[in-house]
């Protein structure tokens, strides 16, 4: 009996003593979050059901109400799936232009800019917002315009992290917040949210947290608004050293994000970082995987980069933890093997330990596979960045060269006018002016664009023609680098997808550009919805 008692004590020491600890507010909240995450598919199905209902409604809606229906569909997609939200933002613009309603046109542009901002396309978002004529807008739309402009500049600060531009972007963001606050009631939740953004950027954490705490306690917020406020407050608490409070706020934000099926979010990633620093590697790994899944689902490129930056670190630490557990389990199994000689019960325990080892090996393989996928994603991002940098370098040189040429021409034109004025040959001035050949100047500009574009994409014409039957392929005239059809899709390959911008660049109407694109796509062997994606896959040298 004494021997058995000692053996049982040894087993007790090998497996570790289970110490019951009181549940803390954070551990209870984490358990609640895990339950919400377990139900995430149900929340997604609810989201899709709402979207399906709107699609059914679309079949029977009157044309004059299409704009408002597109707005409702857009709101379902804007933090759910980037591509779909972008499509319906564009649909809103088309309807607004069809109705010739300046207010709706501006509203649609704001929605488009928000989606571009959410996907990390900051320059495109700013171009879209600055194209809006704000003077005749209603106060509510003007407020939203200023709010999105402020967030764009604030996000640029976070994304670039460049000391040179930080002060300027922050100043612009603060100015737009002030403009938005001017049109808001001081007792609204939106007023508190915007003011807290400015306080935060001015490092006035106490004032920012006071606004957000009041916002959370005094108003009944939607899950989307709750998530934003709680996530921001979590960041502030973290800066103040209130780590436990920060965790509670980030948990609250993550739960709200999942209930609303919000995929464009950073709350759960920031929570994973805090848990990782506290040594809770297993939970941190699970949450960072959720963040990666959300970023991939939504399609935001800058979010993928942010998640990819921390994912390998946590994943590598988890691999070390699993490896240590595997070695420890092996030691357990060795002890149990010795003890199994005495009792069959010990043999059963050994069997269970080996089963755990097998599960640990499986986890290592899964983690390795996931790490390889992360590395592949990083490589793709790097390739895109390298290509973008090369295009920027080439076109900056092109820009300065063209401007230099035009400055020389303007100088010559000015000198000619001055000479005529000094000689009092006023009638000759008209001859000098009429001697300017705008058509030739535009053709020279196109030729320069064609030349620099084909330098970057030498296989563009060949690859483009491969999308068509032999008889439908484009045959260029002698001395011609690109024709109008090729030039339209060259601009698209450069990242200019806005038909209105293409029309302005090529001096055509929007309808003409649409007709060119439709005619080209109708002859292609590639499906219409795939055509522009295939164009974007044409690689630069």
């Amino acid at each position: 009996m004494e021997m058995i008692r000692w053996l049982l004590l040894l087993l007790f020491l090998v497996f570790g003593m289970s110490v019951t600890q009181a549940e803390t507010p954070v551990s209870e909240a984490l358990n609640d979050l895990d339950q919400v995450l377990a139900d995430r598919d149900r929340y997604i199905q609810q989201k899709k059901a709402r979207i399906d209902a709107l699609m059914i409604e679309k079949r029977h809606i009157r044309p004059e109400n299409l704009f408002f229906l597109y707005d409702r569909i857009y709101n379902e997609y804007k933090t759910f799936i980037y591509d779909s939200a972008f499509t319906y933002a564009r649909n809103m613009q088309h309807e607004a232009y069809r109705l010739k309603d300046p207010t709706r046109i501006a509203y649609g542009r704001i929605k488009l800019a928000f989606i571009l901002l959410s996907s990390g396309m900051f320059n495109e978002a700013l171009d879209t917002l600055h194209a809006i004529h704000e003077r005749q807008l209603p106060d509510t739309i003007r407020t939203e315009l200023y709010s999105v402009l402020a967030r764009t500049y604030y996000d640029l600060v976070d994304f670039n992290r460049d000391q040179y531009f930080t002060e300027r972007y922050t100043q612009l963001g603060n100015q737009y917040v002030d403009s938005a606050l001017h049109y808001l009631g001081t007792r609204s939740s939106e007023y508190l949210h915007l003011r807290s953004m400015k306080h935060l950027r001015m490092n006035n954490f106490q004032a920012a947290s006071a606004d957000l705490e009041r916002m959370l306690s005094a108003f009944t917020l939607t899950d989307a608004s709750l998530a934003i406020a709680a996530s921001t407050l979590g960041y502030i608490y973290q800066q103040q050293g209130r780590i436990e409070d920060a965790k509670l706020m980030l948990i609250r934000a993550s739960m709200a994000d999942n209930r609303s099926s919000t995929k464009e979010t950073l709350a759960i990633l920031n929570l994973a970082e805090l848990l990782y620093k506290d040594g809770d590697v297993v939970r941190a790994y699970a949450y960072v995987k959720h963040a990666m899944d959300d970023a991939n689902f939504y399609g935001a490129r800058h979010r993928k980069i942010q998640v990819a930056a921390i994912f390998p670190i946590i994943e590598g630490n988890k691999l070390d933890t699993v490896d240590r557990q595997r070695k420890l389990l092996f030691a357990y199994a060795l002890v149990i093997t010795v003890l199994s000689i005495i009792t069959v019960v010990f043999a059963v325990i050994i069997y269970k330990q080996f089963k755990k080892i097998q599960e640990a090996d499986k986890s290592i393989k899964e983690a390795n596979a996931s790490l390889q996928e992360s590395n592949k994603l990083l490589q793709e991002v790097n390739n895109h960045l390298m290509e973008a940098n090369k295009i920027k370098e080439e076109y900056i040189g092109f820009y300065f060269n063209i401007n230099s040429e035009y400055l020389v021409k303007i100088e010559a034109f000015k000198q000619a006018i001055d000479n005529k004025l000094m000689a009092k040959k006023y009638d000759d001035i008209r001859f000098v002016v009429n001697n300017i050949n705008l058509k030739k100047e535009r053709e020279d500009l196109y030729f320069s664009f064609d030349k620099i574009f084909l330098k970057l994409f030498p296989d563009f014409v060949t690859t483009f023609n491969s999308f068509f039957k032999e008889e439908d392929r484009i045959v260029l005239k002698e001395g011609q680098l690109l024709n109008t059809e090729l030039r339209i899709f060259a601009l698209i390959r450069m990242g200019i997808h806005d038909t209105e911008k293409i029309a302005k660049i090529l001096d055509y109407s929007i309808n003409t550009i649409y007709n060119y694109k439709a005619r080209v796509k109708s002859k292609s062997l590639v499906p219409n919805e795939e055509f522009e994606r295939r164009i974007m896959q044409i690689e630069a040298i």
Side-chain angles (χ1 to χ4, degrees):
M1 288 295 295
E2 187 68 22
M3 182 177 180
I4 293 176
R5 200 163 57 207
W6 279 104
L7 290 173
L8 291 174
L9 178 61
L10 179 59
L11 278 176
F12 184 72
L13 292 173
V14 169
F15 286 103
M17 184 181 296
S18 297
V19 179
T20 303
Q21 298 179 345
E23 285 282 314
T24 65
V26 171
S27 62
E28 290 178 357
L30 285 171
N31 291 334
D32 293 338
L33 173 58
D34 289 340
Q35 184 59 52
V36 172
L37 291 175
D39 290 340
R40 68 187 307 184
D41 288 341
R42 177 168 63 86
Y43 296 126
I44 290 174
Q45 292 306 316
Q46 291 173 356
K47 167 76 79 170
K48 290 181 177 179
R50 292 195 298 272
I51 293 172
D52 290 341
L54 292 173
M55 293 304 180
I56 293 173
E57 184 178 343
K58 179 183 174 184
R59 301 174 189 169
H60 311 289
I61 198 167
R62 293 180 178 179
E64 61 268 23
N65 294 327
L66 263 178
F67 180 88
F68 301 105
L69 179 62
Y70 287 152
D71 186 28
R72 291 163 62 194
I73 298 174
Y74 161 88
N75 283 321
E76 291 290 346
Y77 275 126
K78 69 179 183 180
T79 56
F80 187 51
I81 300 175
Y82 163 75
D83 289 340
S84 299
F86 180 84
T87 297
Y88 281 96
R90 294 290 298 157
N91 287 346
M92 289 170 64
Q93 281 200 303
H94 292 159
E95 280 300 303
Y97 278 113
R98 185 181 66 82
L99 296 171
K100 299 179 180 178
D101 186 335
T103 300
R104 293 185 187 181
I105 291 172
Y107 181 81
R109 282 184 175 273
I110 294 171
K111 298 303 182 183
L112 178 62
F114 179 86
I115 289 303
L116 294 171
L117 168 63
S118 297
S119 69
M121 301 173 69
F122 301 108
N123 290 332
E124 291 80 359
L126 287 174
D127 288 343
T128 302
L129 292 168
H130 288 312
I132 297 172
H133 302 292
E134 60 188 78
R135 290 185 178 178
Q136 298 180 351
L137 293 178
D139 288 351
T140 54
I141 297 180
R142 188 178 296 188
T143 302
E144 186 172 0
L145 169 62
Y146 294 145
S147 299
V148 176
L149 276 165
R151 182 188 157 182
T152 304
Y153 283 110
Y154 287 156
D155 282 6
L156 268 171
V157 172
D158 295 336
F159 186 76
N160 288 335
R161 298 186 183 276
D162 186 286
Q163 188 63 35
Y164 180 80
F165 293 104
T166 293
E167 183 177 353
R168 175 60 178 161
Y169 289 157
T170 301
Q171 182 183 20
L172 287 170
N174 291 342
Q175 289 174 359
Y176 283 117
V177 167
D178 290 338
S179 297
L181 292 177
H182 176 74
Y183 295 98
L184 284 171
T186 58
R187 297 183 178 180
S188 67
S189 63
E190 181 64 11
Y191 184 92
L192 292 173
H193 172 64
L194 284 173
R195 191 170 68 176
S196 71
M197 287 172 57
K198 181 178 178 181
H199 287 321
L200 179 59
R201 295 296 168 169
M202 301 302 292
N203 292 323
N204 189 349
F205 295 131
Q206 185 174 356
S209 62
D211 280 343
L212 292 170
E213 287 166 355
R214 181 183 169 195
M215 181 178 170
L216 290 171
S217 61
F219 295 90
T220 301
L221 303 176
T222 63
D223 277 330
S225 297
L226 170 63
I228 294 171
S231 179
T232 307
L233 193 53
Y235 170 78
I236 294 172
Y237 286 160
Q238 187 178 353
Q239 297 304 307
Q240 294 175 329
R242 300 166 57 182
I243 302 303
E244 295 303 298
D245 290 336
K247 289 179 185 176
L248 288 172
M249 279 298 147
L250 290 173
I251 291 169
R252 192 174 177 185
S254 299
M255 292 172 67
D257 281 332
N258 276 275
R259 286 195 301 266
S260 60
S261 294
T262 296
K263 303 299 181 180
E264 203 287 302
T265 174
L266 278 178
I268 199 166
L269 177 65
N270 294 333
L271 176 61
E273 287 192 72
L274 288 182
L275 294 176
Y276 170 71
K277 291 176 182 178
D278 279 353
D280 190 352
V281 177
V282 175
R283 218 170 207 144
Y285 176 73
Y287 291 169
V288 82
K289 281 193 68 177
H290 278 296
M292 177 65 80
D293 292 340
D294 286 345
N296 288 328
F297 189 95
Y298 182 75
R301 289 172 290 182
H302 68 309
R303 289 288 183 252
K304 293 179 184 178
I305 295 172
Q306 289 173 304
V307 177
I310 188 174
F311 189 83
I313 299 172
I314 296 180
E315 190 171 39
N317 197 290
K318 181 176 185 294
L319 286 173
D320 292 339
T321 301
V322 172
D323 189 56
R324 287 195 300 270
Q325 290 175 345
R326 183 181 64 81
K327 292 177 180 178
L328 186 60
L329 289 173
F330 183 79
Y332 291 166
L334 185 61
V335 174
I336 294 170
T337 301
V338 176
L339 296 176
S340 66
I341 300 174
I342 303 172
T343 174
V344 175
V345 175
F346 296 162
V348 173
I349 296 174
I350 293 171
Y351 172 77
K352 291 181 179 179
Q353 296 307 308
F354 274 115
K355 289 291 290 182
K356 289 183 180 180
I357 291 175
Q358 292 176 355
E359 291 174 1
D361 287 336
K362 182 179 179 181
S363 296
I364 291 175
K365 292 178 181 178
E366 291 176 353
N368 279 329
S370 182
L371 183 59
Q372 291 175 1
E373 185 65 27
S374 299
N375 289 335
K376 181 180 178 182
L377 174 62
L378 283 173
Q379 184 61 44
E380 290 178 358
V381 171
N382 286 334
N383 289 340
H384 286 308
L385 288 174
M386 290 174 63
E387 180 183 276
N389 286 336
K390 184 171 181 61
I391 292 173
K392 288 178 182 177
E393 290 173 3
E394 292 289 344
Y395 272 87
I396 287 173
F398 166 68
Y399 171 79
F400 280 107
N401 185 51
I402 289 296
N403 279 356
S404 176
E405 291 179 0
Y406 277 105
L407 285 173
V408 171
K409 291 180 180 179
I410 291 172
E411 179 69 24
F413 177 74
K414 178 179 176 299
Q415 185 63 46
I417 295 296
D418 286 343
N419 291 339
K420 298 299 181 183
L421 289 172
M422 291 177 63
K424 297 184 179 182
K425 296 180 179 181
Y426 302 119
D427 292 337
D428 292 348
I429 293 176
R430 182 181 301 276
F431 174 77
V432 173
V433 173
N434 290 336
N435 198 41
I436 299 174
N437 190 339
L438 292 178
K439 180 178 179 182
K440 184 178 183 303
E441 294 294 332
R442 184 174 292 277
E443 288 174 354
D444 289 345
L445 177 64
Y446 289 160
F447 182 82
S448 297
F449 169 81
D450 296 347
K451 185 176 179 181
I452 193 70
F453 178 80
L454 291 176
K455 181 180 177 183
L456 286 168
F457 299 91
D459 298 328
F460 182 81
V461 177
T462 303
T463 306
F464 185 91
N465 274 331
S466 68
F467 299 157
F468 301 87
K469 295 179 182 178
E470 183 71 30
E471 62 272 16
D472 293 328
R473 293 177 180 174
I474 293 176
V475 179
L476 296 170
K477 299 177 182 178
E478 184 177 353
Q480 190 178 32
L481 299 179
L482 298 176
N483 62 6
T484 301
E485 290 90 340
L486 289 170
R487 201 170 289 123
I488 289 172
F489 288 98
L491 289 169
I492 290 173
R493 180 60 187 87
M494 294 299 299
I496 304 174
H497 296 276
D498 190 328
T499 303
E500 184 178 350
K501 288 183 179 179
I502 295 174
K504 288 180 179 179
I505 292 170
L506 299 181
D507 196 28
Y508 287 114
S509 69
I510 294 176
N511 286 336
T512 301
I513 298 300
Y514 275 123
N515 290 337
Y516 270 118
K517 290 170 67 176
R519 187 165 62 247
V520 169
K521 290 180 180 180
S522 66
K523 296 178 181 180
S524 172
L525 300 172
V526 179
N528 286 0
E529 62 274 10
E530 291 287 320
F531 190 83
E532 291 190 20
R533 185 179 66 81
R534 293 286 293 275
I535 290 293
M536 296 302 295
Q537 289 176 349
I538 298 175
E539 296 182 352
I541 57 173

